[in-house]
Amino acid sequence: MDTTTLSAVRRQISSAHGLPNEHYTSQAVFNEEREALMMAGWSGLAVAADVQAPGDAVPLTFLGIPLLLIRDRSGIVRVFHNICRHRGMILVDAPRKIEGAIRCPYHSWCYSTEGRLVSTPHVGGPGQNTAEGIDKSLLGLIEVRSHIWMDVVWINLSGDAHPFETANADLIARWAEFDKPLYHGGSDSRFQLTVNCNWKLAVENYCESYHLPWVHPDLNVYSRLEDHYHIEAPGRYSGQGTRVYRQLTDDKGGMFPDFAGLSNKWDTAAEYITAYPNVLLGVHRDHAFAIILVPQGPGQTVENIHLYYAQPDTDPALRMRNTTQWKQVFEEDIFVVEGMQRGRRTPAFDGGRFSPAMDGPTHLFHSWVADRMMAHRATTNACE
Ligand code: FES
Ligand SMILES: [Fe+2]
């Protein structure tokens, strides 16, 4: 692999190039990134609101890996590999409520919602439910490390990342004022977009406000280019903020209630941050949102979008208006991320250049990718 090209990404912004084409088009590089960027650290998988009540279980495929998101009987959200310890059968193949145990449909081995193997019928022959060598205490479901913050279920598939609170300490501190109950708006406050682009293009576009005047003319009317500021935490997260957030109102002037105890800054500010690698977050005085990017392959990404409020019983009509407004904004971005993806099919593209004034947060993301990939390649090559 050509690490010289990645070196060009890590230069200072005025002379840096963007990531080479193969980071958007090649299955081999996608697989490397899957390990180096997604599995090695904390990636967003879903939201805790996807499993509201004890026993709720949702099978998910993330990076090709079959996982099971479940809220156990005691209310703890857990993530397991969605496979039976007997012959590897998929345990749950559609969202459902687990009433008793998770029963494998193949030979009926049963697991508790906490992952314990509780029964192995006829495993020692007809009528014999135990067998030598089959130690139930060693054959529970394989759990994936997980952590919930901003209602996002973050997972560390490699199992050896620093604890989430350490890895993301400064972002957690930055938004400490929002570290309080976030209420998912329910079925009117979630939607999904499938975009034909690499997941990184969605991140890169989200990080910058440079495109606002041309891609989001409606937003730009009140939140202009000059009202925005960069958010830059090298190696961890980046994004942008606005100083002129305006609350949505209904016909009678009604608004969403504010999150309690916010400082003055949030009277008019809003911030939009990518927690590397794949979670796009937004906070405002009266609502927040999370977008989980689920890579489907080098050229396709599913975006799962969820909106949150300060109280559980907000006005459904106003909520719907908010969802519609954000959906419009995110749909306006599709043609540019898909256009950039198509552009990466020409070998003439050299990764492009960055505006030193406007593209800082995007360049930081590129540098993070380049750093991680170079470190990953150094270890993989050293092992060969
Ligand atoms: S594969 Fe699950 S019980 Fe046999
Ligand atoms: Fe945009």
Side-chain angles (χ1 to χ4, degrees):
M1 282 295 169
D2 184 2
T3 48
T4 317
T5 321
L6 286 181
S7 305
V9 176
R10 300 163 82 216
R11 286 186 205 138
Q12 60 176 7
I13 189 167
S14 54
S15 58
H17 282 256
L19 290 161
N21 281 351
E22 62 261 28
H23 285 258
Y24 302 86
T25 56
S26 146
Q27 184 67 45
V29 176
F30 178 85
N31 293 346
E32 278 186 284
E33 289 189 346
R34 170 182 182 262
E35 246 182 77
L37 308 181
M38 294 271 180
M39 294 173 69
W42 291 95
S43 298
L45 172 70
V47 291
D50 287 337
V51 283
Q52 287 278 6
D56 284 355
V58 180
L60 296 163
T61 302
F62 186 66
L63 306 171
I65 301 169
L67 299 174
L68 180 64
L69 173 70
I70 188 166
R71 191 177 288 270
D72 74 18
R73 186 135 332 134
S74 66
I76 296 173
V77 173
R78 295 177 186 268
V79 179
F80 296 111
H81 288 273
N82 188 12
I83 45 155
C84 179
R85 295 299 300 276
H86 178 216
R87 303 302 307 136
M89 176 66 185
I90 293 288
L91 287 171
V92 177
D93 63 3
R96 67 186 170 89
K97 173 90 133 190
I98 306 290
E99 297 294 352
I102 305 167
R103 189 183 67 79
C104 177
Y106 197 178
H107 314 92
S108 270
W109 285 22
C110 291
Y111 303 86
S112 74
T113 54
E114 290 82 18
R116 255 179 329 107
L117 178 59
V118 289
S119 65
T120 50
H122 310 302
V123 71
Q128 294 295 321
N129 297 338
T130 57
E132 198 188 334
I134 301 296
D135 181 346
K136 287 209 276 288
S137 71
L138 300 177
L139 293 170
L141 298 183
I142 301 165
E143 187 157 9
V144 177
R145 259 177 112 194
S146 64
H147 182 91
I148 295 171
W149 179 66
M150 297 292 285
D151 202 52
V152 173
V153 181
W154 310 78
I155 56 170
N156 169 228
L157 281 157
S158 70
D160 59 5
H162 292 302
F164 182 88
E165 296 98 326
T166 311
N168 290 286
D170 50 354
L171 179 54
I172 294 169
R174 181 185 186 99
W175 281 357
E177 292 183 80
F178 292 91
D179 213 345
K180 47 193 57 150
L182 300 175
Y183 294 95
H184 195 291
S187 56
D188 58 38
S189 299
R190 63 172 74 220
F191 57 97
Q192 186 176 77
L193 299 172
T194 300
V195 288
N196 291 316
C197 74
N198 185 273
W199 63 276
K200 296 190 297 303
L201 290 172
V203 172
E204 295 166 24
N205 177 62
Y206 186 75
C207 282
E208 51 105 331
S209 53
Y210 190 8
H211 66 281
L212 248 66
W214 307 284
V215 177
H216 306 298
D218 293 349
L219 262 187
N220 194 60
V221 168
Y222 68 90
S223 182
R224 299 155 308 161
L225 206 48
E226 52 269 47
D227 298 321
H228 289 77
Y229 54 91
H230 297 341
I231 297 170
E232 301 182 312
R236 299 183 302 283
Y237 63 87
S238 60
Q240 36 117 3
T242 177
R243 296 185 190 86
V244 295
Y245 170 63
R246 207 172 55 184
Q247 285 183 275
L248 192 63
T249 51
D250 63 22
D251 302 336
K252 298 191 192 84
M255 297 177 200
F256 293 117
D258 288 338
F259 290 104
L262 295 184
S263 55
N264 296 345
K265 166 184 174 172
W266 299 103
D267 287 355
T268 55
E271 293 192 343
Y272 307 98
I273 283 177
T274 300
Y276 302 164
N278 72 324
V279 180
L280 318 181
L281 298 165
V283 293
H284 319 74
R285 59 187 289 173
D286 58 357
H287 75 287
F289 62 74
I291 305 174
I292 319 273
L293 302 176
V294 184
Q296 304 295 298
Q300 195 179 68
T301 303
V302 166
E303 304 183 354
N304 289 321
I305 297 129
H306 300 271
L307 283 86
Y308 292 88
Y309 297 92
Q311 287 174 21
D313 50 356
T314 46
D315 173 20
L318 193 58
R319 241 177 18 229
M320 199 59 233
R321 250 161 95 167
N322 200 26
T323 302
T324 306
Q325 183 172 295
W326 278 117
K327 192 160 185 237
Q328 184 192 322
V329 171
F330 299 142
E331 283 175 345
E332 285 169 352
D333 284 313
I334 293 178
F335 89 96
V336 287
V337 290
E338 292 191 343
M340 287 192 286
Q341 180 71 25
R342 291 207 313 276
R344 277 154 179 74
R345 285 283 167 199
T346 170
F349 185 63
D350 60 0
R353 299 296 301 277
F354 299 100
S355 154
M358 306 303 289
D359 288 326
T362 302
H363 175 246
L364 274 191
F365 176 65
H366 277 235
S367 304
W368 175 79
V369 171
D371 280 354
R372 289 285 169 118
M373 289 297 280
M374 287 173 79
H376 176 75
R377 284 172 182 170
T379 349
T380 336
N381 292 342
C383 296
E384 278 167 6

